[in-house]
Amino acid sequence: MSDQSSSAAHHNGKLYIETVGCQMNMLDSELVVAALRKDGFELTDDPKLADTLLFNTCSVRENAEHKIYSSLGRLKYVKRTKPQKVIGVMGCMAQKDQDLIFKRAPHVDLVVGTGQLAEIPRLIRETRATTSRQQQKAVSLGRRDGSVAAVSSSFQSYDPLRDPEMRPTPFQAFVRIMIGCDKFCTYCVVPTTRGPEQSRPPSQILSEVKVLADQGVKEVCLLGQTVNSYKHTENGRLNRLSDLMYGINEIAGIERIRFVTSYPKDMTDDLLHAVRDLSKAVKYLHVPLQHGCNEQLRLMKRGYTVDDYREMMHRINDIVPGCSVSSDFIVGFCGETEEAHQLSMAAIREFRFKNSFIFKYSEREGTKAATMLPDDIPEETKKRRNNEVLAVQNEVSEEDNAEFIGRQVSVLVEGPSKAAEKKAARGEEVVAGDPLATQLMGRSECDRIVVFDGNPRLAGSTARVEIRDCTGTTLIGSIVTREVQHGSNGLLPIVS
Ligand code: SAH
Ligand code: SF4
Ligand code: F3S
């Protein structure tokens, strides 16, 4: 994030926003910033300069919440000396903790849940208008606080305005296709923090993607907690995720379509056919298994067995050969035996995930697991199991990445790699002997991270890269250029 000027009059001062959590939160922050900029706020990445500070929060694990409470703690004295500053907590923790936030951090002015984000500009205005500084709260209903319809309508999908400068890159954008979750896995707070599952109308999604394409977006990432459960009936016709993808595939300017996160039970053949047949569909699925042991899956209430997952993997491999699959795992869940833990590692070896996110179980108040099952695995054991699962995944990733050595892949170039950015920040030359080149990063069609040397102007274009080395997380290659074929060292990409 950087200081930016906007065309609006800057009558509302500087805004700082800190975002943790998943892609949903990144998108929510983008939308809130867009609305506030329209209201005359100017973005800053320095909290000391800010007149308004917003924290977009996550509750999925305890440490995500700790992080926010310690950031808030640091502001206590700032607020004492500069009481006119507005401090707001938004997102999942705001919906979950509500008044507890005011109790733990009395200097907070605003608490705004995930379903009420549209209220933020008004609430900031009202907070500033009152001299006595009334604390303001806007949250949705709890899952048991009313009828399904009433609870659902208290969570508003918030997707009005977009802010190009808040995106991962200028040519990549998140698009929310659904909100909420109804799966109620026993360990998870998301059904509480994000409310009931609701799919957005396809016409709205398609027009949003068209606007994004007009703004230069080439890759859209469709978001939903269980994105492949998407369904919406419009004009008497049922639309599934596959139907939506066919629609987006037609939109000029869009080159890649991705979607996260998929739920194993809802991985239907129509979706796999769309991934196979649509030229713009990225050949990559994030379908968390969570555990390799049936008893653990049952206690988690995931709704499938390892055999069911295996059947799904066979269909993925049959229908979309070469498709990469990644997963999430929880280690140290209630009653996890050493044998059960071994089964998660066996599953990684069998299913050969491209990568996995591995989490130590964190008991969350209000979930079924917290009420019914003891959090009985010691922290030390959780740590060890986490490292062991990670080591197996790294081994598998490195072996599978090595298969790419000598092959060419098509890469959507995102920009300088993190390492190159750090070097450049220290004033060091990144590519020896070539001041115009830097180390670039992008992703292959199967979502593998690829780094190679090239001109930063290639960002946003598609390049062919020949892979010559790898690590567990990265393919390392050289760009294949027309000039190279003709014997010079120019950097024109072959666009595919
Ligand atoms: N909707 C997605 C996941 C959202 S949360 C899905 O169902 O796959 C992202 C990940 O956090 C989950 O996949 C899970 O692995 C992890 N997670 C969720 N709750 C957790 C908890 N209480 N402790 C540890 N990890 C958790
Ligand atoms: Fe949480 Fe399960 Fe819903 Fe994913 S599917 S958000 S893990 S309840
Ligand atoms: Fe966290 Fe909320 Fe996302 S709890 S993972 S920010 S949906």
Side-chain angles (χ1 to χ4, degrees), residues 93-105:
M93 198 176 92
Q95 178 61 34
K96 177 177 146 285
D97 284 0
Q98 306 191 359
D99 291 331
L100 183 65
I101 297 175
F102 291 136
K103 227 167 125 193
R104 286 184 64 174

Side-chain angles (χ1 to χ4, degrees), residues 182-298:
D182 285 343
K183 305 290 189 215
F184 286 100
C185 302
T186 55
Y187 51 80
C188 185
V189 287
V190 173
T192 307
T193 62
R194 293 273 167 182
E197 181 185 306
Q198 299 179 70
S199 295
R200 293 179 66 209
S203 53
Q204 236 179 57
I205 297 167
L206 290 174
S207 53
E208 194 173 316
V209 175
K210 278 185 198 128
V211 169
L212 290 169
D214 288 343
Q215 292 176 359
V217 166
K218 296 182 175 177
E219 180 183 280
V220 285
C221 181
L222 310 179
L223 296 185
Q225 289 302 340
T226 55
V227 72
N228 55 338
S229 316
Y230 176 88
K231 50 179 182 305
H232 194 284
T233 302
E234 199 171 48
N235 305 324
R237 184 171 175 266
L238 175 72
N239 289 268
R240 304 158 297 180
L241 175 57
S242 55
D243 301 306
L244 206 51
M245 290 188 53
Y246 277 93
I248 298 175
N249 204 62
E250 295 299 307
I251 297 176
I254 298 298
E255 292 174 16
R256 283 187 176 187
I257 310 166
R258 323 149 41 90
F259 53 90
V260 287
T261 297
S262 292
Y263 185 66
K265 286 274 277 187
D266 294 333
M267 191 60 79
T268 49
D269 284 356
D270 61 288
L271 180 58
L272 295 176
H273 290 144
V275 171
R276 177 193 64 195
D277 297 336
L278 294 175
S279 58
K280 299 180 180 177
V282 168
K283 312 303 174 211
Y284 161 66
L285 299 165
H286 182 58
V287 210
L289 169 61
Q290 308 293 2
H291 211 282
C293 164
N294 284 333
E295 177 57 12
Q296 289 274 293
L297 289 174
R298 191 184 66 77

Side-chain angles (χ1 to χ4, degrees), residues 15-50:
L15 164 73
Y16 169 81
I17 189 162
E18 195 170 304
T19 308
V20 295
C22 63
Q23 295 98 328
M24 279 289 181
N25 266 13
M26 289 171 70
L27 176 55
D28 284 337
S29 289
E30 176 185 330
L31 300 167
V32 167
V33 167
L36 290 175
R37 277 218 244 219
K38 206 167 153 249
D39 237 17
F41 285 81
E42 188 186 355
L43 200 60
T44 175
D45 56 7
D46 185 351
K48 287 194 212 74
L49 298 179

Side-chain angles (χ1 to χ4, degrees), residues 48-61:
K48 287 194 212 74
L49 298 179
D51 309 291
T52 302
L53 297 102
L54 293 178
F55 294 86
N56 194 1
T57 58
C58 171
S59 287
V60 82
R61 282 169 294 277

